[in-house]
Amino acid sequence: MAPVRSIRERVPPLLTDMYQFTMAYAYWRAGRHQEPAVFELFFRHNPFGGGFSLFAGLHDCQLFLRSFSFTDEDVEFLRSVLPPATDPAFFQFLRGLDCSGVTLRSVPEGTVVFARVPLMEVAGPLAVVQLLETSLLCLVNYASLVCSNAARFRLAAGPRRKLLEMGLRRAQGPDGGLTASRYTHIGGFDLTSNVQAGFLFGIPVAGTMAHSYVTSFTSLEEVWPQTLVAVSGDPDPVDFISLTKGWLSRVCELLGAEPAKIREGELAAFLSYAIAYPQNFLPVIDSYSVGCSGLLNFCAVALALCELGFRPVGVRLDSGDLCRQSVDVRHVFRLCSDHFSIPAFDSLIIVGTNNISEQSMAELNKKENEIDVVGVGTHLVTCTRQPSLGCVYKLVEVRGRPRMKISEDPEKSTVPGRKAVYRLVDTEGHPFLDLVSLALEPRPEAGVPLTCFPLGCDNSAVSITPAQVTCLCQEMFTKGQVTHPLCSAAETRAKVQGSLQTLHPRHKRLQEPESYTVALSEKLHNLVREIRRGSSNDSNFLLAN
């Protein structure tokens, strides 16, 4: 219930642009505030130069709509910032406003989506649905962008490796950090370093130590306590420092290492941490030198833990050539396993963290390496390659009549009318076209040919025959209530992977993907042409009169 409690604090109704209130007042003054209107939310280009996006943020949108109302304090602040001539009765109107007259139809959260496809349809009284614009865009834009970014990292990493999100310190503020942790998990990351995200959203949390912990130690004299009780239950504590020193000598002998190059402070840090967390021992081993100190110290401490019945977890590499180092580290682990007959060393994991980007993630698959877990921060949560998805919220109907923005820039023109969206699937089970039609048109039928007009194809018609047809948009909120079950992060994460698996490989290539087709039905295409012609005639009428 924590996310439900926090939505009012995170997304109050004042978290919007000022012009939403000035427009709402103008609607109210004109007596138009109750007119039934429909807006839709979509984006114009797939992010990161890719062939798809993932729709995310719906969960928060549903909670936002359910909690939408203005407090006395909200209204008094608006009274102070709106022009003094604003009619006082408008503020009483705002005080009683809620979303009991709003209906939200939407693509389910976690669905693979494409540019120009309506993702959300928001219907209700004109003033209210206008006021919702900025907040809904804020909730969807970044969530969808960072979720899509995470999915691309997952595709680049492949299914085997675990992915750790660790971008909180680089995120755009606390809420940006929380949003990133939640939606990167939904997009395919397994773990987060963000403890609050674990608390709020149930995401598995991971983390052990930083370089500062290692460099804070200089001598074995700083290790306290110096003993550890074995798993066997023997009540007599073991001198863990002496035990580890013995193993360190044997490791140096096995590897032909020079004991003089080993950093005593690093060994002290590892000992101290292992005594504190003997079942969760995973230190960072590159504070000084991996080969000359860090790896040797780890092996000595880990072997001592194994002798006492504990199972060390592994190591983290955070600098240098991660691939080469991971191969060297794994080689040493196997040598220790074979030479000392310690099978636990065969299952030690290697974590790699070092300013990982999508490109460097993809390169991991091309080079020999032994990295089991990759931690990603800056490039993931800041979406370095593209900072915004660019979702827009456009009016498509008022009083049952279609509305269309006709721009000098064709790309910024909108498609009028209330719509239905259908995903057409081929005989192999892959989606190949999203059909946008008028809401009142009959649903396309599997096995029945239909004519449509792909967007961006110069009004050229094509005939297609779907093997399966799925209606994408569902009713999610109506009459002040959430009407579609709220999904947990884990449930939405599973939906993402299922949706991605159906997508043809040519559409989910990270580089130069094939464009996915979005098309208008014949009736909707004709409506667009009629409105464009009518707009031209209206202009001529005004000039003639």
Side-chain angles (χ1 to χ4, degrees):
M1 294 298 290
V4 177
R5 293 196 304 270
S6 70
I7 193 70
R8 172 76 197 187
E9 298 173 2
R10 291 172 48 229
V11 197
L14 294 187
L15 190 70
T16 188
D17 294 309
M18 183 64 176
Y19 77 174
Q20 308 295 3
F21 290 105
T22 59
M23 285 189 288
Y25 176 67
Y27 287 139
W28 180 85
R29 281 284 291 172
R32 299 190 59 206
H33 56 288
Q34 294 288 3
E35 289 182 1
V38 181
F39 285 78
E40 64 185 28
L41 184 150
F42 62 93
F43 61 92
R44 295 189 173 103
H45 299 282
N46 293 313
F48 313 114
F52 70 91
S53 182
L54 288 167
F55 175 54
L58 173 64
H59 180 280
D60 283 343
C61 290
Q62 291 171 286
L63 295 179
F64 167 69
L65 294 178
R66 190 169 71 183
S67 68
F68 183 87
S69 64
F70 294 94
T71 65
D72 289 336
E73 187 179 12
D74 294 336
V75 171
E76 286 308 306
F77 177 76
L78 289 170
R79 194 190 302 272
S80 73
V81 294
L82 284 169
T86 304
D87 189 329
F90 175 65
F91 299 107
Q92 291 301 314
F93 163 71
L94 288 180
R95 186 66 183 88
L97 214 56
D98 60 23
C99 286
S100 58
V102 173
T103 298
L104 170 67
R105 295 178 66 251
S106 171
V107 173
E109 188 160 29
T111 302
V112 168
V113 290
F114 305 96
R116 308 293 301 188
V117 172
L119 306 179
M120 296 173 64
E121 176 196 90
V122 186
L126 180 56
V128 179
V129 291
Q130 181 72 71
L131 284 170
L132 299 175
E133 174 182 4
T134 304
S135 302
L136 293 178
L137 285 171
C138 181
L139 289 170
V140 169
N141 256 314
Y142 179 62
S144 298
L145 183 73
V146 78
C147 189
S148 304
N149 200 27
R152 291 177 62 86
F153 270 91
R154 169 48 72 194
L155 289 171
R160 181 183 68 84
R161 287 191 183 88
K162 286 198 170 184
L163 297 179
L164 164 66
E165 177 272 316
M166 45 188 291
L168 179 58
R169 65 187 60 194
R170 305 288 170 79
Q172 285 90 340
D175 194 68
L178 275 174
T179 303
S181 295
R182 177 175 186 173
Y183 289 105
T184 54
H185 179 64
I186 286 172
F189 274 62
D190 303 283
L191 309 158
T192 182
S193 66
N194 186 340
V195 179
Q196 179 72 355
F199 168 67
L200 288 176
F201 311 125
I203 304 169
V205 178
T208 55
M209 70 168 67
H211 294 104
S212 57
Y213 183 85
V214 177
T215 57
S216 73
F217 288 82
T218 58
S219 165
L220 293 178
E221 294 177 359
E222 296 169 315
V223 178
W224 189 263
Q226 298 184 342
T227 59
L228 191 60
V229 176
V231 172
S232 63
D234 187 335
D236 295 328
V238 175
D239 183 341
F240 196 60
I241 294 179
S242 296
L243 181 63
T244 300
K245 282 182 174 179
W247 278 111
L248 185 57
S249 297
R250 297 169 70 182
V251 169
C252 288
E253 183 180 350
L254 172 66
L255 302 178
E258 299 179 45
K261 293 184 178 181
I262 293 173
R263 301 295 292 247
E264 182 179 339
E266 183 179 55
L267 178 59
F270 290 2
L271 282 163
S272 181
Y273 197 87
I275 290 169
Y277 291 107
Q279 298 283 24
N280 299 87
F281 182 54
L282 192 155
V284 58
I285 62 170
D286 67 324
S287 298
Y288 302 107
S289 167
V290 173
C292 294
S293 181
L295 181 56
L296 302 169
N297 282 329
F298 168 79
C299 288
V301 175
L303 287 164
L305 286 173
C306 289
E307 184 175 335
L308 297 182
F310 298 101
R311 291 186 66 88
V313 178
V315 299
R316 178 162 75 97
L317 298 168
D318 190 50
S319 61
D321 185 338
L322 299 182
C323 291
R324 180 188 57 77
Q325 287 186 101
S326 69
V327 171
D328 294 343
V329 168
R330 184 69 70 196
H331 175 67
V332 170
F333 287 170
R334 288 170 178 152
L335 280 176
C336 289
S337 174
D338 293 341
H339 186 79
F340 300 121
S341 299
I342 307 289
F345 264 59
D346 290 326
S347 58
L348 292 173
I349 67 170
I350 299 173
V351 180
T353 59
N354 184 20
N355 200 32
I356 303 292
S357 65
E358 181 186 304
Q359 181 179 355
S360 57
M361 182 78 80
E363 288 173 356
L364 284 178
N365 290 332
K366 300 175 183 177
K367 296 181 179 179
E368 182 186 6
N369 72 88
E370 292 286 342
I371 298 173
D372 303 290
V373 180
V374 180
V376 190
T378 305
H379 293 293
L380 176 67
V381 304
T382 64
C383 299
T384 315
R385 294 181 59 196
Q386 180 175 325
S388 174
L389 180 57
C391 285
V392 293
Y393 183 88
K394 298 299 180 183
L395 181 70
V396 295
E397 183 181 284
V398 178
R399 298 191 308 276
R401 299 184 63 184
R403 291 290 185 267
M404 179 179 177
K405 177 184 177 184
I406 302 173
S407 174
E408 292 182 357
D409 181 353
E411 186 179 275
K412 289 203 167 185
S413 296
T414 60
V415 179
R418 202 163 193 171
K419 306 176 187 69
V421 183
Y422 300 97
R423 180 152 293 172
L424 309 187
V425 179
D426 62 22
T427 54
E428 296 179 347
H430 298 301
F432 69 93
L433 183 145
D434 281 6
L435 180 71
V436 183
S437 65
L438 291 168
L440 296 179
E441 287 189 63
R443 175 189 174 116
E445 296 182 26
V448 177
L450 62 90
T451 299
C452 62
F453 291 78
L455 293 173
C457 291
D458 300 322
N459 297 321
S460 300
V462 298
S463 179
I464 54 174
T465 303
Q468 300 174 47
V469 177
T470 302
C471 182
L472 277 188
C473 289
Q474 303 173 22
E475 188 175 281
M476 301 292 179
F477 181 93
T478 189
K479 296 181 180 179
Q481 298 298 320
V482 174
T483 54
H484 192 276
L486 294 168
C487 294
S488 68
E491 290 168 333
T492 308
R493 172 185 163 86
K495 188 175 296 182
V496 162
Q497 295 309 311
S499 187
L500 280 171
Q501 284 174 11
T502 66
L503 198 59
H504 197 283
R506 64 175 178 264
H507 293 133
K508 58 184 175 183
R509 285 197 300 260
L510 298 182
Q511 304 297 325
E512 299 181 353
E514 185 175 310
S515 295
Y516 184 88
T517 303
V518 176
L520 305 184
S521 70
E522 192 167 10
K523 285 188 177 181
L524 183 53
H525 173 75
N526 290 337
L527 175 62
V528 171
R529 293 178 63 187
E530 288 173 15
I531 291 178
R532 286 186 180 279
R533 280 200 300 265
S535 173
S536 177
N537 292 337
D538 287 347
S539 298
N540 293 335
F541 172 81
L542 288 170
L543 291 171
N545 289 273

